[in-house]
Amino acid sequence: MRKPVIAGNWKMYKTVSESVETALALKPLVANANHCEVVIAPVFTALKTVADRLEGSNIKVAGQNCSTEIEEGAQTGEVLAAMLKDAGASYVIVGHSERRQYYFETDVVVRKKTQASIVAGLTAIVCVGESLAQRDQGSAESVVSEQIEGGLSGLTASDLDRIIVAYEPVWAIGTGRTATPEQAQEMHAFIRRVFAQRHSDAAAENLRILYGGSVKPDNIVGLMAQPDIDGALVGGASLKADSFAQIVNYNR
Ligand code: PEP
């Protein structure tokens, strides 16, 4: 059985005190959510404080990005995956479309970051997804399979336990336009088939695939009803404790 993951990506929002305030407001609202892993990804500057304040709770903390490097060194502005772990993170988001688009992250960069995260003992939430133009051209599946080939090649069977894939169609991120549950299911099933071909049926069966793109309290139930949707990566609706808690508690 794949345990669902509901992860909130706070992007470049919230000061340290605002992050702590939201995290502490969320804590009691999701305290009984044993059906899924609950994750929040604050900005780097708030990560340690939030992780410390959530210690002992069922909410885990993620970094939103990490360096491609494995060893510390002269890399101004970069943060090692191992440093995120040291600060209290258990997960890290890798290859978000905003990083691919605005910071020109290629599949090779995504692969290095994924590998660095695994070496550090973090679980990498690796984002893939096509643009609207690519979907309209009918190349959504080939784009996603290329991102998987390029970003996740060279992983061993045991590495796969440390990987979560987030399917985030770029046209649905922050736009209010969600993929329908059927569109998302179709791509999730495709991603699982790609993993079965590349690795094994067992690896594909165990892989958790999250959907991301304008997930809200009113569409999470339909998405989670799909057999290959194992959770959600939530941006805008994770910024407020009550709306994120409603998404986490989709099963009530
Ligand atoms: C995201 O940033 O990963 C995301 C899915 O954002 P939103 O939920 O706001 O579309």
Side-chain angles (χ1 to χ4, degrees):
M1 269 302 273
R2 300 185 293 266
K3 187 164 190 183
V5 178
I6 305 287
N9 173 13
W10 288 357
K11 309 194 185 196
M12 197 170 66
Y13 292 101
K14 298 185 188 291
T15 61
V16 176
S17 61
E18 287 164 350
S19 300
V20 169
E21 193 184 333
T22 308
L24 294 183
L26 182 65
K27 203 165 129 173
L29 301 178
V30 300
N32 296 323
N34 303 317
H35 60 286
C36 67
E37 289 168 27
V38 185
V39 181
I40 53 175
V43 292
F44 283 153
T45 48
L47 196 148
K48 172 143 178 63
T49 316
V50 168
D52 285 349
R53 299 296 297 271
L54 290 176
E55 216 181 313
S57 80
N58 60 335
I59 308 174
K60 302 281 181 250
V61 172
Q64 296 178 17
N65 182 29
C66 67
S67 168
T68 53
E69 299 297 319
I70 288 174
E71 303 278 339
E72 62 182 354
Q75 299 270 341
T76 304
E78 291 294 294
V79 177
L80 286 179
M83 291 167 174
L84 297 177
K85 171 114 174 142
D86 176 58
S90 315
Y91 301 77
V92 58
I93 299 168
V94 173
H96 191 281
S97 65
E98 288 155 11
R99 305 259 357 137
R100 294 178 188 259
Q101 192 178 346
Y102 306 132
Y103 299 92
F104 314 108
E105 287 192 4
T106 61
D107 290 334
V108 172
V109 168
V110 172
R111 183 170 75 228
K112 288 185 177 163
K113 290 185 175 190
T114 303
Q115 284 169 346
S117 309
I118 294 169
V119 169
L122 295 176
T123 296
I125 302 175
V126 184
C127 304
V128 297
E130 80 287 357
S131 67
L132 187 56
Q134 290 163 334
R135 175 158 283 258
D136 287 345
Q137 281 158 16
S139 52
E141 287 191 350
S142 62
V143 167
V144 167
S145 77
E146 249 174 59
Q147 288 171 336
I148 292 171
E149 292 289 319
L152 294 177
S153 58
L155 296 180
T156 65
S158 67
D159 290 344
L160 291 176
D161 295 340
R162 292 247 167 234
I163 295 291
I164 293 172
V165 171
Y167 169 57
E168 299 208 305
V170 180
W171 48 272
I173 297 180
T175 59
R177 189 179 157 187
T178 326
T180 63
E182 294 72 26
Q183 278 174 320
Q185 165 58 26
E186 203 180 343
M187 185 61 88
H188 283 225
F190 171 75
I191 293 170
R192 211 175 292 290
R193 286 201 298 280
V194 170
F195 271 79
Q197 280 155 14
R198 281 193 61 85
H199 298 282
S200 65
D201 286 346
E205 191 49 39
N206 289 332
L207 178 73
R208 287 176 299 176
I209 309 173
L210 315 185
Y211 169 77
S214 299
V215 173
K216 304 268 182 295
D218 62 5
N219 58 28
I220 185 69
V221 174
L223 290 160
M224 290 307 295
Q226 302 298 317
D228 287 294
I229 299 185
D230 307 312
L233 181 53
V234 185
S238 71
L239 292 170
K240 290 210 160 67
D242 56 350
S243 63
F244 189 55
Q246 283 179 55
I247 294 171
V248 168
N249 295 319
Y250 65 88
N251 62 334
R252 306 252 173 93

